[in-house]
Amino acid sequence: MAGGAADMNGPASMDVVVIGAGPAGLLAALRAGDLGARTALVTRDEFGGMAAHDGPVPVRTLAQAARLLRDARQLGRYGISVSEPVLDYARLLTRVREVAGDVRAQAALREQIAAAGVTVHEHAGAARFVDPHTLETQGGLRLRAEKFILCSGGVSRRLPIPGFEFTATHSDAWSLTAVPPTMVVVGGGATGAQVASIFTAFGTRVQLFEAGARILPTEDEDVSTAVAESFRQAGMVVREAFGSIERFERTPGGVRMVFSRDGARDSAEAALVVVAVGWTANTSALNLAAAGVETDSRGFVRVDAHLRTSAPHIFAAGDVTGRMMLVPQAMQDGFVAGTNTANTPMIAVTDGVSPIGSFTDPEYAQAGLTEAKARQTHDVVVAVVRFDSTTRTLIDGRTTGFCKLIVDRATRRILGCHVVGERAVDLVQTAAIAIAAGMRVDELARVPLSFPTYTGVLGRAAAIAARQLQVDADRARLAELL
């Protein structure tokens, strides 16, 4: 492997040191190594970062278990007789660990990074800057480099509320030894919704609290409404605009949350209270001041369009920047930062189409603009196909949800796509490609998508929008002739 060797009196010297081995760090190290830089990748714990150990991989594995339970309960509708499924949570957690291990070994770019000559330091402990060009870790590693890339990720945001220490994070929820009988989830964003949905499927009586007017506040309003209704139908208590939390306190059966709204005090109690109210940069141990790196008012590392920090030789990528805290965007950031540490022309990050989805029940996903956002600057046509009116969803008995397309009337370009229901996350990927390619909706409508498929639902929505646009255009021409 390439890399600078330490002499007896000083630290190892590298061209680039990447801090953090999550999606951003892996791509940054791979790119820097591919461009010939002597590169070291330093990670506090294991290869793969939060995505493999505490994010999408364990979440999706638990969501798969929830899906299998749901599917098993539907077998009788298809003439298949089985006993009622019973969840063994300890065995499920074993499966989660197996999957995480497989991802680290097979799908986390380890072979490619080794082939690029990158020196990898796993289990190095927390890293901190000694001076602008020197890094040391709790494990005794000391590295000097010309340039650095910060990819240390994020951590759950803590609330300055009395008794907050009695609460858990989503990470704690994934590592439980047994399914709790009751759970309060505070925060109706993507993480809170996933925790609430998964444990509802496992049999926990869940109460989901959201301080805002609706859960999933960054989604299209129709998506928020549909998911909240599905959650309630599944037996979950969903409380939106619940007020403000005064304190948490221990009880014999778990934890009580005391909150108030408009002067009226109320409380909710559960065996476990999970707080998922946002994400903040994981920088507390880095001693960024010693390197001259500034953070913004939210605590995220401040970067420019090239992902350069306030220190010209230090870049940052992924969650630590607070830009778009998603795996695909983190990987793109890593590629940009890795490129810009090399002696090549600088490239900038782009804010293109970013499909977003969550593995709740039902799934929800989006690409592009919400309807409300689109209407601010466009004259739009909206086409909605309900899942209770399409062939594949009827075949599978998955009739909850819809596919919604938002199209600019003048250009016929697709502005946004929003889906609730089975395979929503996969379906939106196709829409994202169409949006990124600048396809007109009538062009998408003419693509002969296979039948009967979930992607075909998107084709049907495109056909409805294209037809409406054509009818409107024909009527306008007719009106001009009369």
Side-chain angles (χ1 to χ4, degrees):
M1 278 187 182
D7 60 31
M8 295 299 291
N9 299 311
S13 180
M14 312 296 295
D15 295 326
V16 178
V17 168
V18 180
I19 304 169
L26 296 178
L27 261 293
L30 179 60
R31 181 60 174 162
D34 282 344
L35 292 174
R38 293 174 302 154
T39 304
L41 176 62
V42 180
T43 176
R44 180 187 62 190
D45 299 310
E46 293 183 284
F47 204 81
M50 185 275 292
H53 307 288
D54 187 31
V57 172
V59 171
R60 188 64 188 88
T61 306
L62 290 174
Q64 173 66 2
R67 177 189 292 269
L68 291 172
L69 283 169
R70 184 195 64 187
D71 288 346
R73 293 181 179 123
Q74 186 177 253
L75 291 175
R77 298 178 65 187
Y78 293 84
I80 303 170
S81 297
V82 295
S83 59
E84 180 69 16
V86 177
L87 175 66
D88 184 333
Y89 196 68
R91 289 183 62 184
L92 173 56
L93 290 183
T94 298
R95 177 58 182 161
V96 170
R97 289 189 289 270
E98 288 173 352
V99 171
D102 289 344
V103 168
R104 287 196 305 273
Q106 307 296 333
L109 302 176
R110 186 183 289 271
E111 290 185 5
Q112 296 93 319
I113 285 173
V118 176
T119 303
V120 178
H121 300 280
E122 289 185 85
H123 301 288
R128 65 183 298 274
F129 283 97
V130 177
D131 59 51
H133 288 275
T134 307
L135 189 79
E136 66 179 14
T137 73
Q138 285 178 318
L141 180 67
R142 193 175 176 91
L143 293 170
R144 185 168 179 81
E146 292 182 14
K147 297 177 181 178
F148 294 86
I149 306 176
L150 309 179
C151 305
S152 53
V155 293
S156 296
R157 187 163 70 93
R158 297 183 60 82
L159 298 177
I161 294 174
F164 189 82
E165 66 273 15
F166 302 136
T167 69
T169 68
H170 74 281
S171 307
D172 301 314
W174 306 147
S175 58
L176 294 170
T177 57
V179 175
T182 55
M183 179 185 292
V184 164
V185 178
V186 182
T191 299
Q194 286 187 116
V195 172
S197 178
I198 287 170
F199 280 92
T200 294
F202 290 167
T204 301
R205 298 191 304 280
V206 176
Q207 299 179 69
L208 176 61
F209 285 79
E210 166 57 36
R214 58 190 176 98
I215 65 169
L216 308 179
T218 61
E219 300 298 319
D220 188 270
E221 190 167 349
D222 287 343
V223 170
S224 295
T225 300
V227 173
E229 178 59 25
S230 292
F231 280 2
R232 290 185 174 108
Q233 289 180 0
M236 188 190 305
V237 174
V238 179
R239 297 191 61 169
E240 295 157 316
F242 72 90
S244 59
I245 303 171
E246 295 184 1
R247 65 184 183 275
F248 297 98
E249 53 192 32
R250 280 282 190 198
T251 67
V255 179
R256 179 184 296 115
M257 179 177 76
V258 180
F259 58 97
S260 61
R261 179 183 177 185
D262 300 329
R265 181 171 290 152
D266 201 350
S267 67
E269 184 176 341
L272 184 71
V273 174
V274 176
V275 178
V277 290
W279 205 240
T280 187
N282 185 16
T283 58
S284 60
L286 282 172
N287 192 26
L288 294 180
V293 175
E294 297 176 358
T295 57
D296 65 18
S297 59
R298 299 180 301 158
F300 292 101
V301 175
R302 196 187 305 274
V303 294
D304 62 15
H306 302 102
L307 300 183
R308 192 195 295 269
T309 72
S310 55
H313 68 293
I314 299 178
F315 296 78
D319 288 4
V320 75
T321 69
R323 293 176 61 253
M324 287 200 71
M325 293 178 280
L326 300 164
V327 170
Q329 287 71 26
M331 295 175 72
Q332 292 175 351
D333 275 9
F335 182 89
V336 169
T339 299
N340 291 343
T341 57
N343 294 319
T344 60
M346 298 270 278
I347 62 174
V349 290
T350 58
D351 293 323
V353 180
S354 298
I356 300 170
S358 188
F359 301 107
T360 50
D361 181 16
E363 291 184 8
Y364 67 89
Q366 62 152 297
L369 301 178
T370 65
E371 181 178 347
K373 193 73 174 177
R375 289 191 183 279
Q376 293 177 5
T377 52
H378 299 265
D379 179 16
V380 303
V381 168
V382 177
V384 178
V385 175
R386 294 180 56 84
F387 272 28
D388 59 6
S389 66
T390 66
T391 304
R392 180 57 187 271
T393 54
L394 290 168
I395 290 170
D396 289 358
R398 302 300 178 205
T399 55
T400 297
F402 61 85
C403 174
K404 175 179 182 178
L405 272 185
I406 303 159
V407 180
D408 180 79
R409 187 182 298 276
T411 64
R412 301 195 176 191
R413 302 290 187 191
I414 302 168
L415 301 175
C417 178
H418 303 271
V419 184
V420 174
E422 188 79 354
R423 314 279 181 91
V425 177
D426 291 328
L427 198 159
V428 156
Q429 310 307 307
T430 303
I433 294 170
I435 295 171
M439 289 183 73
R440 298 195 314 269
V441 72
D442 50 316
E443 293 173 329
L444 177 58
R446 289 196 295 269
V447 176
L449 299 171
S450 295
F451 175 86
T453 61
Y454 284 90
T455 306
V457 179
L458 175 63
R460 180 170 170 182
I464 292 171
R467 178 176 176 271
Q468 183 60 55
L469 287 165
Q470 189 60 51
V471 167
D472 292 348
D474 290 343
R475 288 175 177 171
R477 281 193 293 270
L478 181 60
E480 290 175 0
L481 294 173
L482 296 176

